Amino acid sequence: MKILVTGGAGFIASNVVDAYVAAGHEVAVVDNLSTGKKENVNPAVKLYTMDIADPRLADVFADFKPRLVNHHAAQISVPLSVDDPLADAHTNVMGLLNVLTNCRQHRVEKVIYVSSGGVVYGEPKQFPATEMFPLQPTSPYGIAKYAGELYLKFFAAQAGIKFVALRYSNVYGPRQMPHGEAGVVSIFIQALMAGKAPTIFGDGKCVRDYVFVGDVVEANLKAIERGENVAVNIGTGRPTDVNELYRLVCDALHTDMKALSGPPRRGDLLANYLDATLAGTVLGWKPKVSLAEGVVLTAQYFKNLAEKK
Ligand SMILES: NC(=O)c1ccc[n+]([C@@H]2O[C@H](COP(=O)([O-])OP(=O)(O)OC[C@H]3O[C@@H](n4cnc5c(N)ncnc54)[C@H](O)[C@@H]3O)[C@@H](O)[C@H]2O)c1
């Protein structure tokens, strides 16, 4: 199938592109390389270096003629969205609308949209969060992700474009840069590899749901054929606090270096983890890689990268 992947030079979507190519799909990528890297882009795919909000995106659709669009391109920094909601909305609202109106114009059949289970539920009162929880994002980034889901419902009803919205928890793994929602895994690994003690903010008891990128890729493969007009959580349902995560990273790198401690960070949610039962029913998906295994695989990736330099 012809699949256009937005943000395909970035951490998660470049892994998705590799799997789509391996599965025999014809893939093209649109990315403005703002945080993504050209070297992440699979050599078998055509890269259109362009902002998704650019009116010339219509030419990309006319040229490539995708049947399915996988939309990962986004401004991903929550703090940046707080400081500059307009810059966030440029990509996460206007860019998305540019993609969706082109999907309508060019008769795209389905959109796989990437939302965030880390932000759309706001600060849930119970855990793990299910899709039935109220959506009450507290940042412009979260508001834009939620708006994206509402726009998808509109285009499904008005133009018959099917969608699956994947609400990721904290994704980690190879190619992750130390920014973004789950950057802490690569921050710890890269600091320790450089012989520097990383900093744990507050008491290290904030819990998150760390899902391995290989499992997230599986969800993107399954969502090509399965799921219609539905939003599902993509997470492990397993809470891990920062102290435990740090121990796992130290084990993977065979070090016992103590972390430094820093003041608690303003705005950090105390807890967030997701119930992904619905993704099991709708997509036939469940995570397979444990955090200990995933951290080892990620550490191995960064070691290999360092050896190549
Ligand atoms: N990393 C996580 O834990 C996590 C959690 C929830 C949701 N997400 C979502 O997953 C998606 C991918 O995130 P990631 O962690 O791989 O981040 P990333 O920064 O590595 O990937 C984003 C990609 O989008 C591109 N991009 C940004 N703005 C663009 C624009 N205006 N036009 C064209 N391309 C643009 C970037 O260059 C980059 O390649 C995003 O939608 C993000 O919101 C990520």
Side-chain angles (χ1 to χ4, degrees):
M1 189 188 296
K2 281 193 156 196
I3 306 178
L4 182 65
V5 180
T6 70
F11 155 49
I12 301 170
S14 66
N15 283 288
V16 172
V17 167
D18 289 348
Y20 281 180
V21 169
H25 296 293
E26 193 182 336
V27 182
V29 164
V30 183
D31 199 300
N32 67 356
L33 304 180
S34 53
T35 55
K37 296 186 199 153
K38 218 173 183 165
E39 57 265 34
N40 286 345
V41 179
N42 189 302
V45 314
K46 180 160 186 183
L47 168 64
Y48 298 92
T49 305
M50 188 182 288
D51 192 308
I52 53 163
D54 192 314
R56 287 174 306 161
L57 190 68
D59 301 337
V60 173
F61 275 76
D63 183 44
F64 184 63
K65 301 183 182 59
R67 263 179 70 200
L68 186 142
V69 169
N70 179 303
H71 183 65
H72 271 79
Q75 183 301 110
I76 66 161
S77 163
V78 174
L80 191 144
S81 81
V82 171
D83 291 345
D84 192 350
L86 270 177
D88 181 79
H90 168 83
T91 296
N92 295 0
V93 180
M94 297 308 286
L96 170 73
L97 278 176
N98 198 27
V99 170
L100 292 180
T101 49
N102 274 293
C103 287
R104 179 170 67 182
Q105 176 77 22
H106 296 272
R107 304 195 184 287
V108 168
E109 289 165 26
K110 188 171 189 180
V111 175
I112 298 173
Y113 170 71
V114 176
S115 183
S116 169
V119 297
V120 290
Y121 302 113
E123 188 121 24
K125 305 229 172 345
Q126 279 173 285
F127 298 99
T130 77
E131 295 82 355
M132 302 301 286
F133 279 31
L135 298 180
Q136 39 199 16
T138 55
S139 66
Y141 170 79
I143 292 166
K145 286 287 180 193
Y146 179 24
E149 293 191 19
L150 294 175
Y151 279 122
L152 284 163
K153 282 189 188 165
F154 165 74
F155 281 93
Q158 194 261 342
I161 304 170
K162 290 182 230 156
F163 74 86
V164 174
L166 303 175
R167 294 180 184 159
Y168 295 165
S169 62
N170 293 58
V171 188
Y172 71 96
R175 298 197 187 131
Q176 181 162 38
M177 302 295 286
H179 61 280
E181 289 180 56
V184 62
V185 176
S186 70
I187 291 171
F188 283 170
I189 292 175
Q190 292 190 59
L192 289 171
M193 276 177 47
K196 292 185 191 141
T199 302
I200 293 180
F201 297 98
D203 60 7
K205 300 245 168 76
C206 281
V207 307
R208 293 287 181 273
D209 180 344
Y210 297 97
V211 63
F212 185 63
V213 70
D215 281 329
V216 169
V217 163
E218 274 300 306
N220 280 274
L221 281 165
K222 291 185 182 290
I224 294 174
E225 300 293 345
R226 296 183 63 162
E228 190 168 326
N229 305 344
V230 65
V232 295
N233 289 339
I234 297 296
T236 67
R238 188 179 175 279
T240 303
D241 74 21
V242 182
N243 295 324
E244 185 187 350
L245 177 71
Y246 184 66
R247 273 193 301 277
L248 289 172
V249 173
C250 286
D251 289 351
L253 292 170
H254 310 293
T255 169
D256 54 8
M257 189 179 286
K258 295 271 165 292
L260 304 172
S261 58
R265 286 190 310 183
R266 233 165 30 105
D268 265 353
L269 296 183
L270 220 48
N272 199 347
Y273 55 102
L274 306 177
D275 182 322
T277 310
L278 187 64
T281 316
V282 171
L283 302 178
W285 177 86
K286 66 172 196 262
K288 295 188 186 127
V289 180
S290 73
L291 184 54
E293 289 164 341
V295 165
V296 168
L297 292 169
T298 310
Q300 197 55 52
Y301 164 80
F302 282 110
K303 277 191 208 160
N304 291 345
L305 203 65
E307 276 163 21
K308 276 191 209 145
K309 279 184 184 158

